[in-house]
């Protein structure tokens, strides 16, 4: 699935992050606990290099807790990375986060020097909610639509800690097609960038495999359908999403499935595991290699044509 959404302010945000890199002591990257890999911007990984990083797994109240723990263990294998699970009910996480920031920058923790913590993440990942929770007041705008924050802002906290907030940043090319679907399912990108039945079909196929009993219970199904389209048809008939002739309205039932996933009506469902990503990335590397081979073949063909053209002119 091709996602066409890379607004100008995101390009500006990326440029600004690069410009202030040397001022930053610690990166705080906010990730969606349901899709920790897919909500991780590869450009941020490139920018931050090996600087101390706290990865906040937000919306843990919507994710599968067992899989969230697996992701935390996986991420903390990197020596410069620590993780913290967070949701809107975790008001007690504030002190834990501030303490962790100081531990990540010990050379400044007990001095009068300011610790600059850059808080970053893709749109609609829960970054603004986290900031408001840390400060105890509404500083950052929140909303269910991606790309609410448009400009960089600095927020002074106690203990000489300054947060630098940035707009949510997507990247121009999502190499892993599965990550594109997961971003769409969780609301990380605007609906104008994709077809709803397309992502609902992807979600239905995954739910049937990973969480069959929760799907069966939520939609009151006596038997589980065998395919994604059969599941959407069954849900559509159960919920009365019918058009003329008794046909299921695919757009309506697709919206029901995606909205009920997003609002946690189906249950705490995560969409990816480290093992899944490892397998998918093998395919991404294969596609990269094929793409490069095709590019080289085209270049060789161009060289051959130019050589023939020069020979014919003699």
């Amino acid at each position: 699935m091709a996602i066409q959404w890379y607004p100008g302010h995101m390009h500006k945000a990326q440029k600004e992050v690069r410009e202030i890199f040397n001022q930053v002591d610690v990166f705080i990257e906010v990730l969606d606990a349901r899709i920790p890999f897919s909500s991780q911007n590869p450009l941020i990984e490139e920018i931050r290099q090996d600087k101390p990083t706290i990865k906040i797994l937000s919306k843990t109240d919507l994710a599968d807790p067992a899989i969230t723990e697996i992701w935390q263990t996986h991420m903390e294998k990197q020596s410069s990375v620590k993780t913290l699970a967070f949701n809107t009910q975790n008001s007690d996480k504030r002190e834990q986060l501030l303490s962790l920031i100081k531990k990540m920058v010990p050379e400044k923790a007990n001095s009068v020097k300011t610790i600059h913590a850059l808080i970053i993440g893709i749109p609609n990942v829960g970054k603004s909610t986290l900031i408001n929770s840390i400060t105890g007041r509404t500083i950052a705008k929140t909303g269910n639509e991606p790309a609410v924050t448009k400009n960089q802002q600095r927020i002074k906290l106690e203990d000489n800690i300054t947060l630098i907030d940035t707009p949510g940043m997507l990247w121009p090319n999502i190499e892993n097609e599965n990550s594109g679907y997961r971003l769409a399912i969780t609301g990380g990108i605007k609906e104008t960038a994709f077809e709803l039945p397309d992502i609902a079909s992807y979600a239905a196929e995954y739910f049937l495999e990973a969480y069959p009993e929760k799907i069966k219970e939520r939609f009151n199904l006596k038997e589980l359908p065998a395919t994604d389209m059969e599941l959407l048809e069954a849900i559509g008939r159960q919920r009365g999403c019918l058009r003329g002739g008794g046909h299921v309205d695919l757009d309506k039932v697709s919206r029901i499935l995606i909205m009920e996933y997003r609002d946690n009506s189906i249950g705490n469902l995560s969409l990816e595991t480290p093992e899944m990503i490892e397998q998918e990335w093998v395919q991404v590397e294969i596609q990269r290699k094929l793409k490069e081979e095709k590019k080289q073949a085209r270049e060789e063909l161009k060289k051959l044509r130019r050589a023939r053209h020069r020979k014919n002119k003699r």
Side-chain angles (χ1 to χ4, degrees), residues 1-34:
M1 178 179 65
I3 294 176
Q4 301 297 328
W5 188 47
Y6 194 55
H9 75 269
M10 292 187 185
H11 176 74
K12 178 186 174 187
Q14 181 199 147
K15 183 180 178 182
E16 288 177 349
V17 168
R18 292 183 186 276
E19 287 174 350
I20 65 170
F21 175 81
N22 291 331
Q23 300 175 30
V24 176
D25 298 299
V26 58
F27 277 74
I28 301 175
E29 184 174 13
V30 185
L31 307 171
D32 187 324
R34 297 167 296 178

Side-chain angles (χ1 to χ4, degrees), residues 37-38 174-182 277 280-281 284:
F37 176 83
S38 295
I174 299 173
E175 288 189 281
N176 184 354
E177 185 183 52
N178 296 287
S179 290
Y181 278 106
R182 292 171 190 141
I277 296 303
E280 291 168 8
W281 212 247
V284 170

Side-chain angles (χ1 to χ4, degrees), residues 32-49:
D32 187 324
R34 297 167 296 178
I35 51 168
F37 176 83
S38 295
S39 59
Q40 178 177 272
N41 189 333
L43 294 177
I44 291 171
E45 284 293 291
E46 175 194 327
I47 293 169
R48 78 172 185 84
Q49 298 173 28

Side-chain angles (χ1 to χ4, degrees), residues 56-121:
I56 305 288
L57 275 70
S58 73
K59 306 185 182 183
T60 53
D61 51 325
L62 304 179
D64 185 327
I67 293 180
T68 296
E69 287 186 17
I70 291 171
W71 272 110
Q72 288 187 265
T73 301
H74 176 76
M75 289 175 169
E76 291 194 3
K77 288 178 182 178
Q78 288 183 266
S79 59
S80 61
V81 173
K82 295 295 180 185
T83 65
L84 190 64
F86 178 86
N87 65 58
T88 53
Q89 308 304 317
N90 289 148
S91 56
D92 60 319
K93 295 287 184 179
R94 178 181 184 278
E95 295 303 322
Q96 193 175 344
L97 177 58
L98 296 180
S99 175
L100 191 53
I101 291 172
K102 289 187 286 184
K103 285 180 181 178
M104 299 292 278
V105 195
E107 65 275 15
K108 286 190 175 182
N110 298 313
S111 71
V112 295
K113 293 181 179 178
T114 299
I115 298 174
H116 292 94
L118 180 70
I119 187 163
I120 48 184

Side-chain angles (χ1 to χ4, degrees), residues 44-285:
I44 291 171
E45 284 293 291
E46 175 194 327
I47 293 169
R48 78 172 185 84
Q49 298 173 28
D50 60 350
K51 278 207 175 186
T53 301
I54 301 169
K55 292 184 183 268
I56 305 288
L57 275 70
S58 73
K59 306 185 182 183
T60 53
D61 51 325
L62 304 179
D64 185 327
I67 293 180
T68 296
E69 287 186 17
I70 291 171
W71 272 110
Q72 288 187 265
T73 301
H74 176 76
M75 289 175 169
E76 291 194 3
K77 288 178 182 178
Q78 288 183 266
S79 59
S80 61
V81 173
K82 295 295 180 185
T83 65
L84 190 64
F86 178 86
N87 65 58
T88 53
Q89 308 304 317
N90 289 148
S91 56
D92 60 319
K93 295 287 184 179
R94 178 181 184 278
E95 295 303 322
Q96 193 175 344
L97 177 58
L98 296 180
S99 175
L100 191 53
I101 291 172
K102 289 187 286 184
K103 285 180 181 178
M104 299 292 278
V105 195
E107 65 275 15
K108 286 190 175 182
N110 298 313
S111 71
V112 295
K113 293 181 179 178
T114 299
I115 298 174
H116 292 94
L118 180 70
I119 187 163
I120 48 184
I122 68 168
N124 202 30
V125 79
K127 184 164 59 68
S128 296
T129 300
L130 174 65
I131 290 172
N132 293 339
S133 177
I134 294 171
T135 59
R137 60 190 189 278
T138 303
I139 286 182
K141 293 180 180 179
T142 62
N144 291 326
E145 275 293 301
V148 173
T149 304
K150 292 292 193 295
N151 299 301
Q152 191 181 104
Q153 60 178 332
R154 299 195 177 214
I155 305 151
K156 290 186 178 181
L157 306 173
E158 63 264 37
D159 298 331
N160 296 320
I161 296 173
T162 293
L163 282 183
I164 306 172
D165 183 23
T166 59
M169 293 188 291
L170 277 176
W171 53 106
N173 179 35
I174 299 173
E175 288 189 281
N176 184 354
E177 185 183 52
N178 296 287
S179 290
Y181 278 106
R182 292 171 190 141
L183 283 165
I185 292 166
T186 54
I189 55 178
K190 290 184 177 180
E191 288 192 10
T192 53
F194 56 83
E195 296 292 333
L196 196 57
D198 188 24
I199 67 161
S201 174
Y202 182 95
E205 182 178 8
Y206 174 76
F207 293 154
L208 280 172
E209 181 181 349
Y211 298 100
E213 291 307 313
K214 289 195 175 184
I215 289 297
K216 192 174 179 181
E217 180 183 350
R218 175 60 189 172
F219 297 106
N220 195 26
L221 302 173
K222 292 181 180 180
E223 293 183 2
L224 277 174
T227 68
D228 54 329
M229 291 309 297
E230 288 176 1
L231 176 58
L232 291 174
E233 289 271 344
I235 295 171
R237 296 188 185 285
Q238 185 79 1
R239 296 294 182 85
C241 302
L242 301 175
R243 299 181 299 173
H247 298 292
V248 170
D249 188 320
L250 193 55
D251 285 323
K252 282 187 179 180
V253 71
S254 294
R255 185 166 297 279
I256 285 174
L257 180 63
I258 296 304
M259 292 302 111
E260 293 197 7
Y261 170 69
R262 290 180 185 173
D263 68 18
N264 207 35
S265 295
I266 302 174
N268 297 65
L269 317 183
S270 293
L271 297 181
E272 62 190 19
T273 65
E275 184 180 5
M276 287 169 59
I277 296 303
E278 186 176 338
Q279 293 171 356
E280 291 168 8
W281 212 247
V282 170
Q283 296 303 313
V284 170
E285 292 294 344

